[in-house]
Amino acid sequence: METLLATGEHRHELENYFGAAEYRELASLVRAARDTSIAPNSPRVIIVPGIMGSQLGHTRHAPLPPDILWIDPVDIAAGRLALLKPAPDDGVVALGVVLYTYLRLKLHLQAAGFGCSFHDYDWRLGVDVLGQALAARLRLEPAKRVMLVAHSMGGLVSRAALAIAGTDCVQRVVLLGTPNFGSFAPVQALRGTYAVVRKIARLNHKQSAEWLAEKVFNAFPSLYHLLPAPAHSAGLDLFDPGVWPQSGPGPRTRLLSAARNLARTLAAADERFVVIAGVNQETVTAVARRRDDFVYTITRNGDGTVPTNQALLPGARTYFTATAHSELTRDPEVAQAIADLLRSGSTRRLPTRRARASMAEARISDRQLRQTQIPKVEWSALPQTARRIFLQSLNEPPALTLRQPTRAKRAAASKRARSAPRRSR
């Protein structure tokens, strides 16, 4: 892909794939990266993507290309997403990162003088298993100095790898929007109400979002490893199957139990770690049980996916950005800040103090979310621009109006904050 962008070959097809503006920017970044020499003794940077950030599918014998299941709208429309349900010898492997999300960051860092590579992986699997695979790669890494830039769940995979012996080559770790204490997005994914699950379900005329959650996504150990820690879930222990609503899709008891002790397999932060946490984006920051339903509180205390407080990691230096979760790997200012951090361990491009967030909030239930993203989409009938917009906006949540809470609610929230237990996971 980098070669095609540099030479201008297949420009028309790539403009259709990326969009004309994105294509021009990537082509410019490729040229800048290729004009930059990499010092022979410079550290090697490995970019570790987040959940759903690697393509998944089956390899095939040449001259056939790989059979990509995630994310291929044609296969989803044909019902083949069910093949992602983990099974022994299912043949599903990682087939490279999702370029729209991660290529920009790689090119920015290459243009800054770093040799970069991706670590794609089968994100259905548990963080502990994926950490072992990354640790095995690090033990074989020929470079004596390695630095990790990890997005979202990739940060947990990196922490799991660094808890394993033989990974001392890693000198810096930059965590981008990592849910170190969980996120509420996997709660919604397990309930079939997460925006991504609901939108991809629109591509298939027979499979609903609830069906996909129950039959496919709820079998992914990774989702359970991303659930909020008990001290970060508004009083609910989401690893207790009894707190989940009985109606609609729900978690698998065995996977819930297995995920409870994930923290014991993760490396604690030390002087190598830096966190870049998102702020000021509408984010689910609490969940409550209301009769046989979950109700989510949305505030601007997060990056759109991970609440800010749940991205923070004791012992790590922290910087803040108002960049949305899915844009953290695409924003040029964040990329330059990462380059600074890799060089010197600090940057002046991002603040170390977060601005006070608005107290405005909104609430929405699973029942209400199930009324969104219902109409089916005929992929073959969509023009190219509409296809691109559909895929690039998978993570967009429903639009809500946030309102300032009453004085009584503000006082109650302040009291809860003062009495909340210290962070532990």
Side-chain angles (χ1 to χ4, degrees):
M1 182 63 75
E2 291 180 34
T3 299
L4 294 177
L5 288 166
T7 61
E9 296 177 78
H10 299 288
R11 175 169 182 160
H12 177 70
E13 291 90 340
L14 294 184
E15 283 185 334
N16 282 336
Y17 179 75
F18 287 112
E22 182 79 4
Y23 173 84
R24 288 194 298 271
E25 186 160 352
L26 288 173
S28 176
L29 281 171
V30 164
R31 289 191 291 271
R34 294 201 166 194
D35 289 341
T36 303
S37 59
I38 309 297
N41 62 343
S42 64
R44 183 78 177 169
V45 176
I46 299 176
I47 299 172
V48 187
I51 190 170
M52 302 184 184
S54 300
Q55 299 181 122
L56 301 181
H58 299 100
T59 57
R60 295 190 291 192
H61 294 295
L64 293 175
D67 177 17
I68 293 174
L69 298 173
W70 182 269
I71 182 171
D72 183 344
V74 175
D75 275 349
I76 294 172
R80 298 188 73 226
L81 205 61
L83 296 177
L84 288 183
K85 180 180 178 180
D89 303 318
D90 60 16
V92 174
V93 297
L95 296 169
V97 302
V98 176
L99 290 178
Y100 177 79
T101 305
Y102 294 103
L103 183 55
R104 274 197 193 197
L105 177 58
K106 180 175 184 283
L107 295 175
H108 273 295
L109 294 181
Q110 287 177 178
F114 295 97
C116 295
S117 61
F118 291 122
H119 180 75
D120 56 329
Y121 57 86
D122 183 352
W123 45 263
R124 304 173 302 162
L125 307 179
V127 166
D128 50 351
V129 174
L130 297 170
Q132 293 169 9
L134 177 55
R137 172 177 176 174
L138 292 172
R139 286 195 292 267
L140 296 175
E141 179 63 43
K144 294 182 179 179
R145 294 190 298 153
V146 177
M147 299 181 178
L148 300 179
V149 177
H151 179 232
S152 196
M153 188 179 86
L156 299 183
V157 173
S158 299
R159 290 179 60 198
L162 293 178
I164 299 172
T167 57
D168 298 336
C169 61
V170 176
Q171 294 191 331
R172 294 197 195 281
V173 186
V174 180
L175 305 180
L176 292 173
T178 292
N180 287 301
F181 293 92
S183 165
F184 295 96
V187 179
Q188 294 180 330
L190 293 171
R191 294 282 289 154
T193 56
Y194 187 46
V196 175
V197 179
R198 298 201 65 77
K199 286 183 181 180
I200 62 173
R202 296 177 63 194
L203 296 169
N204 186 283
H205 288 262
K206 295 181 179 179
Q207 297 170 350
S208 66
E210 289 73 23
W211 188 93
L212 284 175
E214 188 74 42
K215 303 297 184 181
V216 182
F217 286 89
N218 286 15
F220 297 168
S222 56
L223 283 176
Y224 298 81
H225 284 163
L226 296 176
L227 290 174
H232 292 261
S233 49
L236 290 182
D237 181 358
L238 291 165
F239 295 94
D240 177 359
V243 309
W244 290 73
Q246 296 302 302
S247 63
R252 303 188 179 195
T253 301
R254 179 183 62 81
L255 292 176
L256 267 185
S257 177
R260 178 180 286 277
N261 296 318
L262 173 68
R264 298 177 183 177
T265 69
L266 304 180
D270 53 33
E271 68 280 354
R272 298 173 296 174
F273 281 77
V274 178
V275 166
I276 297 179
V279 297
N280 207 33
Q281 302 291 327
E282 294 182 9
T283 310
V284 177
T285 53
V287 63
R289 175 79 177 264
R290 186 174 66 189
R291 295 185 289 276
D292 196 34
D293 208 8
F294 273 158
V295 178
Y296 307 95
T297 299
I298 294 91
T299 70
R300 293 192 177 93
N301 290 297
D303 65 10
T305 300
V306 179
T308 305
N309 287 341
Q310 290 167 223
L312 306 182
L313 183 62
R317 283 159 295 156
T318 305
Y319 295 87
F320 299 95
T321 176
T323 306
H325 187 81
S326 58
E327 292 293 307
L328 285 169
T329 56
R330 294 172 41 77
D331 185 87
E333 188 70 14
V334 172
Q336 294 305 315
I338 293 171
D340 293 342
L341 293 167
L342 296 177
R343 287 193 197 98
S344 65
S346 64
T347 183
R348 294 185 177 182
R349 299 177 191 271
L350 300 176
T352 56
R353 294 176 179 270
R354 57 172 158 170
R356 185 176 180 179
S358 166
M359 295 188 69
E361 61 184 28
R363 287 180 176 80
I364 192 168
S365 67
D366 279 329
R367 187 171 287 108
Q368 291 170 309
L369 287 168
R370 290 198 176 98
Q371 301 307 310
T372 66
Q373 301 294 335
I374 294 177
K376 296 297 183 177
V377 172
E378 192 65 52
W379 183 259
S380 61
L382 289 182
Q384 185 62 44
T385 300
R387 291 182 179 186
R388 185 173 63 252
I389 292 172
F390 183 90
L391 291 175
Q392 292 176 359
S393 64
L394 281 179
N395 200 36
E396 284 187 8
L400 297 174
T401 300
L402 275 63
R403 303 184 187 281
Q404 294 290 337
T406 64
R407 182 177 299 179
K409 288 184 177 180
R410 290 199 299 269
S414 178
K415 183 178 180 180
R416 286 196 301 270
R418 289 195 301 270
S419 62
R422 293 289 182 182
R423 186 182 295 115
S424 61
R425 187 179 180 187

